[in-house]
């Protein structure tokens, strides 16, 4: 299949700035990300294609080579895997590239999981943090799917105060319940108003007169939890399974965060995975190679004939 033009894929002009390239890619990547399109092969292809285009065009050197020689100029570009098939890189490379530039802390991740935007305002100050855990899986587990128990340390709601953090909640006297304070400063350029969270109540607008002694008023305590995760067949390294509400409990009864289970592949002693294919080496004799023959090979399911 002939490769599409990288500029065309990203929908940017040939003279597009680095920023425009990044922006165009980010939009496409979020739209086609496998997380948003589970099991959708076409979306996965689009995601890979966009990432490949981005990897080449974001780099001044490879972009110059591409401008001059086209796809042939960048076929050996780092990150393009070793497959000489010209199929570009596989989905793992693409996911890694996306996470590298737009991952946690970057804007892509937040947008996909509705972080950032959602967590604003008073209620959101209490929202529990998301947690992330790595889970190593064997190739067999990945191929057939599995169920795993994982142990994590996290905050759970305090049972003593039912997460309230104590009794006699009252309005913070310092900010008058607003949760933030305004500061006005003057300079030769004019008057500046800055708004900062109130330090007395931590931005919540409320203070507790008699805090719960078990959780010191936070409404949550640490626990060791065991959670079972169903892994569907066919996940790959770099995929993650979001478990809603399994992250840290929020402060003072706030909503819990999510738990992200990041998939990692344990290297297999005999098989190498390349995208959706499993590669294994089978020793054959010279005579067999010349005359043909039958050789028993092992597959993940057991034995098969070649
Ligand atoms: Zn408590
Ligand atoms: Zn306050």
């Amino acid at each position: 299949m002939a490769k599409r033009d990288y500029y065309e894929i990203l929908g940017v002009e040939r003279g597009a700035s680095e920023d425009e390239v990044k922006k165009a890619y980010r939009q496409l990547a979020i739209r086609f990300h496998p997380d948003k399109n589970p099991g959708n092969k076409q979306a996965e292809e689009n995601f890979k294609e966009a990432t490949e285009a981005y990897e080449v065009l974001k780099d001044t050197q490879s972009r110059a080579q591409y401008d001059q020689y086209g796809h042939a100029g960048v076929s050996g570009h780092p990150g393009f895997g070793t497959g000489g098939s010209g199929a570009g890189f596989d989905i793992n490379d693409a996911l890694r590239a996306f996470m590298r530039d737009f991952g946690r802390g970057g804007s892509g991740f937040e947008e996909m999981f509705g972080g950032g935007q959602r967590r604003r305002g008073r209620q959101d100050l209490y929202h529990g943090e998301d947690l992330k855990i790595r889970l190593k899986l064997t190739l067999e587990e990945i191929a057939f799917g599995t169920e795993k128990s994982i142990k994590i340390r996290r905050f759970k709601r305090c049972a003593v105060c039912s997460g309230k953090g104590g009794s006699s909640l009252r309005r913070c006297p310092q900010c008058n319940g607003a949760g933030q304070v305004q500061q006005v400063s003057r300079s030769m350029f004019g008057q500046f108003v800055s708004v900062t969270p109130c330090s007395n109540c931590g931005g919540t607008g409320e203070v507790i007169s008699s805090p719960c002694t078990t959780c010191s008023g936070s409404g949550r305590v640490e626990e060791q939890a065991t959670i079972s995760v169903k892994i569907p067949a066919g996940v790959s390294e770099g995929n993650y399974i979001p478990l809603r509400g399994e992250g840290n409990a929020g402060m003072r009864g706030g909503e819990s965060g999510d738990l992200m289970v990041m998939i990692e592949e344990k290297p297999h002693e005999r098989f190498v995975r390349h995208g959706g294919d499993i590669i294994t080496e089978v020793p054959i004799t010279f005579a067999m190679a010349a005359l043909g023959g039958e050789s028993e090979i092992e597959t993940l399911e057991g034995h098969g004939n070649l």
Side-chain angles (χ1 to χ4, degrees):
M1 197 180 70
K3 279 196 180 194
R4 283 171 68 201
D5 177 64
Y6 288 149
Y7 292 98
E8 190 187 309
I9 292 168
L10 294 183
V12 295
E13 301 284 323
R14 290 194 91 76
S17 70
E18 219 171 290
D19 224 43
E20 286 169 324
V21 166
K22 197 166 175 172
K23 235 164 134 179
Y25 167 65
R26 183 171 157 270
Q27 278 181 355
L28 287 172
I30 289 171
R31 185 161 130 219
F32 292 121
H33 197 283
D35 255 26
K36 286 202 135 179
N37 306 273
N40 184 339
K41 276 277 157 205
Q42 187 53 49
E44 186 178 308
E45 282 308 312
N46 292 342
F47 180 74
K48 278 198 300 199
E49 189 184 53
T51 308
E52 183 182 325
Y54 168 68
E55 286 291 89
V56 168
L57 297 187
K58 82 181 172 77
D59 181 82
T60 338
Q61 205 183 335
S62 58
R63 182 172 173 177
Q65 274 178 324
Y66 176 72
D67 286 346
Q68 200 169 356
Y69 305 107
H71 290 290
V74 291
S75 59
H77 190 64
F80 271 45
T82 46
S85 58
F89 47 38
D90 72 17
I91 188 67
N92 298 326
D93 298 327
L95 286 163
R96 258 195 295 274
F98 176 74
M99 284 302 277
R100 179 199 63 216
D101 287 6
F102 300 95
R104 201 77 170 125
S107 45
F109 201 88
E110 286 297 325
E111 187 163 314
M112 270 200 324
F113 290 106
Q117 305 297 316
R118 188 182 61 187
R119 306 208 178 142
R120 226 172 261 154
R122 189 185 150 281
Q123 185 53 41
D124 302 336
L125 280 166
Y126 296 118
H127 203 291
E129 301 85 0
D130 293 339
L131 298 174
K132 202 156 91 174
I133 190 166
R134 294 179 196 287
L135 183 60
K136 277 194 196 299
L137 297 174
T138 65
L139 218 45
E140 285 89 348
E141 288 169 331
I142 284 172
F144 306 121
T146 182
E147 190 160 356
K148 288 263 171 190
S149 284
I150 47 178
K151 280 201 174 116
I152 57 162
R153 285 195 76 78
R154 67 175 176 189
F155 283 108
K156 66 166 181 181
R157 186 162 292 190
C158 172
V160 177
C161 62
S162 318
K164 288 196 187 70
S167 53
S168 321
L169 221 60
R170 60 187 173 93
R171 184 188 281 193
C172 169
Q174 193 160 310
C175 62
N176 231 337
Q180 50 193 25
V181 284
Q182 274 191 6
Q183 270 173 335
V184 180
S185 56
R186 282 172 207 283
S187 77
M188 59 186 289
F189 300 109
Q191 180 176 304
F192 289 98
V193 181
S194 59
V195 178
T196 51
C198 170
S199 58
N200 188 45
C201 61
T204 62
E206 291 165 334
V207 286
I208 295 172
S209 307
S210 42
C212 165
T213 49
T214 307
C215 62
S216 318
S218 71
R220 59 183 192 174
V221 289
E222 262 197 283
E223 70 161 348
Q224 171 102 35
T226 306
I227 295 162
S228 107
V229 202
K230 274 207 171 69
I231 315 288
V235 292
S236 23
E237 168 120 8
N239 280 169
Y240 34 85
I241 298 172
L243 300 176
R244 305 285 172 214
E246 295 289 0
N248 276 339
M251 304 255 284
R252 297 191 199 164
E255 226 184 293
S256 294
D258 301 330
L259 174 65
M260 305 290 169
V261 182
M262 316 289 294
I263 304 297
E264 283 182 10
E265 289 182 20
K266 276 188 205 163
H268 197 280
E269 42 188 281
R270 270 188 312 284
F271 301 117
V272 179
R273 182 158 116 132
H274 188 81
D277 300 326
I278 304 281
I279 297 168
T280 181
E281 276 181 28
V282 182
I284 54 171
T285 62
F286 180 73
M288 264 174 74
L291 305 171
E294 227 172 52
S295 177
E296 202 179 359
I297 60 159
E298 257 182 285
T299 68
L300 284 179
E301 286 96 343
H303 295 271
N305 273 335
L306 191 67

